[in-house]
């Protein structure tokens, strides 16, 4: 049984063949954290929880034994106020104003399978045998509050998921001030914290820093997971690297405000907590009500960062993403945004689609500007009615024209927004997030619709779904281009205003669920000014995300490398765009732009009608090559070889699950005078197998490629790349 409970020692052991996660109830009934890491046998587990008497600054809740102190004990879900002085995982205000709780063991349930989290995105199983769950129920008598800690361990993935359910079983109202999804107390702080930070057009840059005493914290209070910090941290044990050593990943399945922090305390331990950002959050829990936190996915890897990433990739690709596109090859697309911006008409669109079709591209995506009177970004969001001035025959006619070219048709929406200059806003000025008597701060000339209100979300859904029903649209890009300010809802009472941001997310998730249920044959891509909401929450509804508004190939090396820490390659939109690049004005060759984009979900975002014959020949070859590589890049295992954060070069590769096919990509950013000879050592191949280099008929041993390496050809000029495609012979 993958979850064992030992009645004598009151110890829970969650395990699969490779990983153990162990917790134990101490005398007071509070669960302590015992161990998490490589699989260990049952026998000596209780001895792993070491207790020593410290000093009087760490009081003892159990006077019979002074070695028991909440301040020094590694805890599973630390509370506030009863002598643990580190940051708690939760805090609740009682009717008497106090904010102290002590929830202790009441009961537990162990079962095969994994429960769904009502209204929230989460990983899932297809058969109960794929995972086992422990529900550990704690109870605070004084508050009448039940706190259920949910743990699921997967059989086939080295992942443990955690979330928490609060239930008010008392007669009075309670207020959650903090309700994080997990706490893990590591017994040492000999780790680096790795996280992904950035900004618009420069998302998910890998950051590493040694843990130091005190709090190291990342998060978002912008109403979305954000460009600035991704909801992910990893602890990398001293000495661990890309391929070796202990790495612990924490990824939060949520798209709104979050916090992820590590606190190193006086005895050198490190507490990781993660969950909804408690800043400007509270939640009233009436008697009989429950509150479910979002899920956090914890991955342990004994094989360094690469092992951690591959676990996240497989788990998220197969048991977080859903729908028919989860397992389907994604189409090569051309998007008109950087080609035309708002300045297009039906003929122009048809011309780009025709050029795309002739080059073998499979899907045309019409971006912003097709509705209302939207000739720039100052109007019309919320008026989801086709602009007949640009498209006189309506969408239907345009879709027909594009489909006649043997291209599928996709459409852009930004449904969560409203322009002050729109009919929707004029009719319903109170439908946006706002606070009475305060300015409504605009971002890109727009306000955010209050998706915490059912009638608002339903009206938007009706407009969007009418359009989707009106024509054979097979792809939707769901954009979201600003962060929240003046967060408040006209529909909530004063004591619930701090619930608005989370209620917004619940409203959004409800709409997305409805959307993918009604339109199972549409491929949805999420976007938030590029990668401002590249998170596991959105991936549960939409299996791919527009990685960044920065389409420059060189910038993308770092952005895509950083994104690959957690997210599967099949989730990353990557397009070839024109030069000089619109974001950084760099001129990378068409070949290099192609190789970088082929390392993600491939597409083009430029005016294909402007290509010369020579460029068309290159693009035709790229499209053909990507079609040959697509099953490998979208469904294979991903290995990082050289980090663009550590030097002038970047490299990565893909290996099919059975090891029979591989593709390696190498990039050098700046030319180096008289450079040393470079070799690239590959990973993940079968050492005993032989591989032919496609197109060259040269055969290499897997051992040769991994241990001796592959010669990097001479590359001339800046921003160069090379790709090798191997097949087992
Ligand atoms: C931001 C997106 O990231 C872009 O790709 C594009 O769709 C624009 N919005 C359109 O306004």
């Amino acid at each position: 049984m993958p979850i064992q409970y030992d009645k004598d020692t009151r110890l829970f052991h969650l395990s699969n063949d490779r990983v153990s996660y162990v917790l134990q109830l101490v005398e007071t009934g509070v669960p302590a954290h015992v161990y998490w890491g490589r699989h260990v046998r049952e026998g000596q587990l209780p001895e792993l929880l070491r207790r020593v008497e410290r000093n009087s600054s760490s009081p003892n809740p159990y006077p019979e034994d002074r070695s028991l102190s909440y301040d020094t004990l590694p805890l599973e879900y630390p509370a506030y106020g009863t002598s643990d002085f580190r940051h708690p995982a939760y805090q609740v205000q009682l009717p008497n104003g106090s904010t102290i709780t002590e929830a202790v063991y009441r009961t537990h349930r162990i079962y095969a399978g994994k429960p769904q989290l009502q209204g929230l995105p989460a990983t899932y199983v297809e058969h109960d045998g794929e995972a086992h769950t422990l529900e550990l129920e704690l109870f605070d008598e004084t508050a009448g509050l039940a706190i259920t800690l949910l743990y699921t361990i997967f059989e086939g993935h080295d992942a443990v998921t955690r979330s928490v359910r609060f239930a008010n079983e008392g007669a009075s109202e309670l207020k959650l001030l903090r309700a994080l999804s997990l706490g893990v107390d590591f017994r040492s702080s000999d780790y680096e914290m790795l996280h992904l930070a950035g900004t618009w057009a420069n998302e998910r840059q890998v950051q590493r820093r040694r843990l130091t005493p005190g709090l190291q914290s990342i998060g978002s209070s912008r109403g979305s997971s954000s460009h600035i910090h991704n909801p992910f941290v990893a602890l990398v044990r001293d000495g661990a690297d890309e391929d070796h050593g202990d790495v612990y990943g924490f990824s939060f399945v949520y798209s709104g405000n979050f916090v992820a922090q590590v606190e190193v305390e006086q005895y050198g331990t490190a507490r990781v907590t993660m969950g909804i950002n408690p800043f400007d959050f509270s939640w009233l829990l009436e008697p009989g009500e429950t509150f479910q936190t979002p899920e956090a996915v914890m991955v342990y890897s004994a094989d360094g960062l690469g092992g951690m990433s591959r676990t996240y990739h497989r788990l998220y690709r197969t048991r977080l993403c859903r729908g028919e596109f989860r397992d389907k090859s994604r189409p090569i697309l051309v998007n008109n945004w950087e080609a035309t911006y708002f300045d297009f008409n039906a003929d122009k669109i048809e011309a780009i689609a025709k050029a795309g079709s002739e080059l073998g591209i499979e899907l045309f995506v019409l971006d912003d500007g097709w509705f209302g009177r939207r000739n720039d970004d100052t109007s019309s969001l919320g008026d989801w009615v086709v602009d007949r001035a640009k498209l006189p025959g309506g969408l239907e006619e345009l879709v027909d024209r594009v489909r006649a070219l043997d291209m599928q048709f996709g459409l852009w929406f930004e449904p969560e927004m409203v322009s002050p200059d729109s009919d929707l806003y004029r009719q319903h000025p109170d439908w946006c997030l706002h606070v009475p008597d305060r300015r409504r701060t605009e971002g890109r000339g727009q306000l955010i619709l209050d998706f915490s209100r059912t009638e608002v979300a339903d009206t938007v859904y009706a407009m969007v779904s009418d359009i989707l029903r009106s024509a054979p649209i097979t792809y939707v890009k769901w954009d979201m281009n600003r962060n929240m300010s003046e967060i408040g809802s006209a529909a909530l009472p004063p004591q619930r205003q701090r619930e608005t941001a989370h209620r917004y997310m619940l409203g959004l998730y409800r709409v997305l669920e409805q959307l993918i249920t009604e339109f199972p044959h549409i491929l949805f891509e999420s976007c938030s000014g590029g990668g401002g909401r590249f998170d596991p929450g959105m991936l549960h509804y939409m299996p791919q995300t527009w990685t960044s508004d920065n389409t420059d190939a060189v910038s993308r090396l770092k952005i895509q490398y950083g994104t690959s820490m957690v997210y599967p390659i099949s989730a990353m939109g990557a397009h070839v765009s024109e030069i000089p690049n619109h974001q950084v004005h760099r001129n990378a060759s068409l070949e290099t732009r192609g190789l970088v984009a082929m390392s993600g979900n491939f597409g083009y975002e430029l005016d294909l009608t402007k290509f010369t014959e020579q460029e068309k020949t290159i693009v035709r070859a790229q499209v053909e090559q990507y079609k040959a590589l697509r099953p490998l890049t979208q469904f294979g295992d991903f290995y990082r070889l050289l980090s663009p954060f550590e030097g002038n070069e970047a490299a990565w590769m893909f290996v099919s699950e059975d090891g029979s096919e591989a593709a390696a990509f190498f990039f050098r950013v700046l030319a180096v005078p008289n450079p040393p000879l470079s070799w690239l050592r590959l990973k993940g191949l079968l050492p005993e197998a032989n591989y032919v280099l496609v197109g060259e008929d040269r055969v290499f041993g897997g051992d040769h490629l991994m241990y001796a390496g592959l010669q990097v050809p001479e590359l001339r000029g800046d921003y160069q790349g090379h790709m090798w495609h191997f097949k087992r012979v």
Side-chain angles (χ1 to χ4, degrees):
M1 184 69 176
I3 302 183
Q4 305 278 359
Y5 176 58
D6 183 331
K7 276 207 286 317
D8 300 332
T9 55
R10 302 216 292 172
L11 188 133
F12 296 90
H13 183 189
L14 290 68
S15 66
N16 60 28
D17 291 348
R18 302 161 306 277
V19 173
S20 288
Y21 188 95
V22 187
L23 50 134
Q24 186 174 22
L25 301 169
V26 298
E27 291 87 329
T28 54
V30 163
H33 179 71
V34 176
Y35 173 78
W36 176 28
R38 202 185 269 263
H39 182 267
V40 287
R41 282 172 290 150
E42 308 289 322
Q44 284 111 42
L45 289 177
E47 285 165 30
L48 291 173
L49 188 62
R50 278 189 67 193
R51 290 170 20 181
V52 290
E53 183 178 344
R54 293 288 185 178
N55 53 61
S56 59
S57 60
S58 295
N60 314 108
Y62 185 69
E64 293 85 334
D65 181 352
R66 287 194 179 182
S67 75
L68 181 69
S69 144
Y70 290 156
D71 195 28
T72 60
L73 206 62
L75 292 168
E76 276 297 310
Y77 198 60
Y80 168 72
T82 53
S83 80
D84 181 353
F85 299 99
R86 296 163 288 180
H87 283 73
Y90 72 102
Q91 190 180 18
V92 182
Q93 187 162 40
L94 278 62
N96 64 9
S98 69
T99 53
I100 293 170
T101 40
E102 187 175 9
V104 298
Y105 176 80
R106 180 160 75 175
T107 184
H108 72 269
R109 291 171 287 280
I110 293 173
Y111 53 89
K114 182 173 193 294
Q116 286 187 346
L117 303 187
Q118 197 59 43
L120 285 165
T123 54
Y124 60 90
V125 291
E126 289 197 333
H127 309 287
D128 281 350
E130 289 181 7
H132 286 78
T133 296
L134 163 67
E135 293 195 10
L136 182 60
E137 196 175 304
L138 313 176
F139 191 61
D140 182 303
E141 189 87 48
T142 312
L145 177 67
I147 301 176
T148 304
L149 310 183
L150 291 105
Y151 299 81
T152 296
I153 183 155
F154 284 87
E155 274 298 294
H157 306 276
D158 294 349
V160 174
T161 64
R162 291 189 55 181
S163 71
V164 180
R165 196 167 54 232
F166 293 85
N168 184 351
E169 297 181 4
S172 323
E173 194 176 86
L174 298 171
K175 194 183 223 177
L176 301 181
L177 302 176
R178 183 182 185 91
L180 303 186
S181 296
L182 66 79
V184 177
D185 280 343
F186 286 76
R187 61 186 179 206
S188 98
S189 53
D190 299 331
Y191 295 92
E192 277 185 317
M193 170 173 159
L194 182 149
H195 59 109
L196 305 171
T199 179
W200 174 81
N202 200 29
E203 300 91 338
R204 292 173 299 284
Q205 304 289 298
V206 176
Q207 306 291 331
R208 284 176 84 143
R209 46 173 144 151
R210 244 203 98 65
L211 293 183
T212 53
L215 199 62
Q216 22 259 295
S217 175
I218 58 157
S220 166
S221 53
R222 298 171 165 265
S224 67
S225 49
S226 91
H227 299 90
I228 293 93
H229 289 292
N230 199 257
F232 162 76
V233 289
L235 290 194
V236 183
R237 198 193 284 278
D238 281 358
D241 60 19
E242 179 64 26
D243 302 303
H244 312 96
D246 291 340
V247 176
Y248 298 84
F250 300 84
S251 163
F252 193 39
V253 187
Y254 191 59
S255 315
N257 295 337
F258 76 95
V259 72
Q261 57 191 38
V262 189
E263 182 179 9
V264 176
E265 55 77 85
Q266 57 180 330
Y267 302 115
T269 68
R271 167 169 294 174
V272 177
T273 48
M274 175 177 250
I276 293 177
N277 197 337
F279 177 77
D280 203 29
F281 164 86
S282 65
W283 195 274
L284 267 192
L285 214 51
E286 304 280 358
E289 283 185 351
T290 59
F291 180 84
Q292 170 67 54
T293 74
E295 173 169 291
V297 179
M298 311 194 308
V299 164
Y300 166 71
S301 162
D303 302 319
L305 285 163
M308 175 200 72
S309 299
R310 282 185 291 282
T311 298
Y312 276 122
H313 293 178
R314 280 202 186 180
L315 180 66
Y316 283 181
R317 188 165 56 71
T318 63
R319 292 294 180 268
L320 174 70
C321 295
R322 293 175 296 165
E324 63 184 56
F325 291 95
R326 185 188 76 176
D327 306 321
K328 260 195 190 167
S329 285
R330 311 288 166 71
I332 303 175
L333 63 81
V334 54
N335 175 304
N336 72 308
W337 179 240
E338 288 195 18
T340 65
Y341 295 103
F342 295 101
D343 183 16
F344 60 82
N345 57 32
D347 292 341
K348 178 75 197 162
I349 294 304
E350 188 181 21
I352 297 177
K354 182 165 181 290
S357 164
E358 285 165 6
L359 294 167
I361 295 172
E362 299 155 322
L363 164 70
F364 174 82
V365 180
L366 181 58
D367 211 281
D368 196 353
W370 56 267
F371 52 93
R373 288 167 292 100
R374 193 156 162 92
N375 296 317
D376 55 33
D377 63 15
T378 59
S379 83
S380 303
L381 292 170
D383 296 343
W384 298 105
V385 178
V386 72
D387 178 359
R388 296 261 167 187
K390 283 182 190 163
L391 307 175
L395 259 185
E396 257 169 286
E397 193 224 40
L398 181 67
V399 178
D400 284 348
R401 283 164 73 175
V402 169
R403 288 176 67 88
L405 299 163
D406 203 19
M407 293 275 269
Q408 300 166 43
F409 187 90
L411 195 58
W412 178 96
F413 291 91
E414 194 177 0
E416 297 159 70
M417 298 291 153
V418 64
S419 307
D421 180 8
S422 67
D423 293 342
L424 185 71
Y425 189 72
R426 282 183 279 275
Q427 279 159 22
H428 300 287
D430 67 328
W431 273 19
C432 63
L433 292 176
H434 68 282
V435 169
D437 306 323
R438 297 278 169 204
R439 179 186 56 223
R440 299 179 179 191
T441 306
E442 293 175 19
R444 205 192 189 204
Q446 61 201 53
L447 298 166
I448 303 185
L449 286 168
D450 181 359
F451 264 50
S452 75
R453 294 173 66 173
T454 313
E455 71 276 32
V456 176
D458 285 352
T459 304
V460 175
Y461 181 81
M463 286 190 272
V464 170
S465 56
D466 273 354
I467 300 269
L468 296 181
R469 274 182 233 113
S470 73
I473 293 164
T474 59
Y475 165 104
V476 164
K477 178 174 172 188
W478 180 291
D479 204 351
M480 192 276 197
N481 279 304
R482 63 156 292 184
N483 291 147
M484 293 178 185
S485 58
E486 296 89 31
I487 302 174
S489 171
L492 289 173
Q495 66 276 23
R496 288 197 180 272
Q497 285 297 320
R498 285 161 66 106
E499 299 176 11
T500 307
H502 181 56
R503 286 186 182 275
Y504 177 98
M505 292 317 307
L506 296 177
L508 174 65
Y509 290 147
R510 183 179 65 80
V511 166
L512 298 183
E513 188 69 44
Q514 198 178 345
L515 192 69
I516 62 170
T517 308
E518 185 176 348
F519 300 101
H521 307 308
I522 292 182
L523 169 59
F524 290 93
E525 173 162 310
S526 84
C527 173
S528 178
R533 227 167 34 183
F534 203 134
D535 59 60
M538 292 307 286
L539 279 184
H540 188 56
Y541 305 93
M542 307 191 167
Q544 57 189 60
T545 302
W546 179 226
T547 309
S548 174
D549 270 350
N550 188 343
T551 53
D552 167 54
V554 173
S555 311
R556 278 295 188 117
L557 294 176
K558 286 186 176 170
I559 295 170
Q560 292 175 200
Y561 188 98
T563 305
S564 80
M565 282 291 154
V566 191
Y567 303 101
I569 305 307
S570 59
M572 284 186 221
H575 301 169
V576 173
S577 62
E578 76 172 16
I579 52 168
N581 171 267
H582 292 196
Q583 293 77 38
V584 299
H585 308 280
R586 194 178 345 245
N587 292 314
S589 69
L590 185 52
E591 287 84 351
T592 298
R593 281 177 279 154
L595 289 178
V596 175
M598 270 186 230
S599 305
N601 253 336
F602 189 52
Y604 291 82
E605 185 156 339
L606 37 66
D607 189 346
L608 299 172
T609 63
K610 292 188 181 150
F611 272 146
T612 61
E613 281 312 311
Q614 196 193 354
E615 286 169 328
K616 279 189 194 161
T617 309
I618 297 173
V619 170
R620 228 176 252 116
Q622 285 176 341
V623 166
E624 210 175 299
Q625 185 159 56
Y626 183 70
K627 285 180 182 167
L629 290 176
R630 177 160 53 184
L632 184 60
T633 59
Q634 292 187 0
F635 305 115
D637 286 330
F638 183 72
Y639 291 83
R640 290 180 293 261
L641 305 177
L642 293 173
S643 168
F645 294 96
E646 288 168 16
N648 190 28
E649 293 171 347
W652 47 63
M653 67 179 291
F654 302 86
V655 183
S656 62
E657 224 172 296
D658 64 359
S660 66
E661 195 180 352
F665 291 72
F666 174 90
F667 302 94
R668 181 172 295 139
V669 177
L670 292 180
V672 177
N674 203 12
L677 298 179
S678 306
W679 297 81
L680 191 62
R681 288 204 285 174
L682 305 191
K683 297 178 187 172
L685 300 173
L686 302 170
E688 69 284 3
N690 286 329
Y691 295 88
V692 64
L693 185 57
V694 175
E696 284 200 24
D697 292 338
R698 282 159 70 203
V699 174
F700 298 83
D703 49 358
H704 179 118
L705 293 170
M706 290 195 293
Y707 313 144
L710 194 59
Q711 250 185 70
V712 175
E714 237 180 284
L715 299 171
R716 287 165 194 264
D718 294 339
Y719 326 132
Q720 294 299 311
H722 191 82
M723 195 274 287
W724 301 261
H725 183 192
F726 294 101
K727 284 195 173 161
R728 188 177 182 177
V729 282

